[in-house]
Amino acid sequence: PWNVGAEIAWNASRRIQFFLEYAHTQTKGKTTHFLLNNLPSSRRFANYINDSGYLGVRYYFEGWCLCHLGWIHPYIGFKTGFSAQNRVLSTLFVNGVFVSTYPHWESQTAVSGSLLIGLEWWLCRHLSAVLQ
């Protein structure tokens, strides 16, 4: 699977940051092989796609200086928003012959949220790495 996203943040103070986030996740569908009544069979799943949007806040604690490696700041926070999953179809083949296609699960949009805990490592003034 792969994930790509974007985040816009506003620092309300030295310790509090509000952010708006978008994430797109996609993975290629897999095929499973099995025996059905002693006949070689397979089930092929369609690609999985998910789009999410969040509004959140982080609270930063005092950081640690790693000398010439930069600063590390721990934080906690939360985000809430919506997540939309596309429908995933499953196609069944028995002995190489198409049998049926049916939804493995239907598309859905739901409220989504998360508690956050992480570290932000400031490599230089305008570049940081985040472990969340």
Side-chain angles (χ1 to χ4, degrees):
W2 57 274
N3 184 309
V4 64
E7 181 179 290
I8 297 172
W10 175 66
N11 294 325
S13 71
R14 207 180 101 204
R15 295 187 183 267
I16 298 175
Q17 179 184 69
F18 294 96
F19 64 92
L20 185 62
E21 177 183 287
Y22 167 77
H24 175 84
T25 303
Q26 187 168 335
T27 186
K28 184 176 180 172
K30 303 290 183 188
T31 300
T32 59
H33 300 280
F34 55 94
L35 290 176
L36 183 63
N37 295 331
N38 291 329
L39 293 173
S41 303
S42 63
R43 183 168 46 187
R44 184 182 320 148
F45 293 96
N47 294 350
Y48 170 80
I49 300 172
N50 180 304
D51 290 294
S52 302
Y54 299 100
L55 179 62
V57 63
R58 293 184 189 99
Y59 178 83
Y60 287 87
F61 297 98
E62 285 296 324
W64 306 288
C65 181
L66 299 178
C67 298
H68 63 284
L69 296 176
W71 283 81
I72 292 183
H73 292 274
Y75 65 85
I76 60 170
F78 70 92
K79 64 182 181 180
T80 186
F82 293 95
S83 184
Q85 298 174 334
N86 285 4
R87 179 172 73 163
V88 174
L89 296 176
S90 176
T91 305
L92 178 64
F93 294 89
V94 176
N95 206 20
V97 177
F98 168 80
V99 174
S100 67
T101 296
Y102 58 93
H104 186 67
W105 70 70
E106 294 292 343
S107 63
Q108 63 179 347
T109 300
V111 174
S112 177
S114 178
L115 294 176
L116 308 173
I117 186 167
L119 299 170
E120 187 165 6
W121 178 15
W122 283 93
L123 305 167
C124 65
R125 183 180 171 128
H126 300 291
L127 182 64
S128 70
V130 175
L131 175 64
Q132 180 168 282

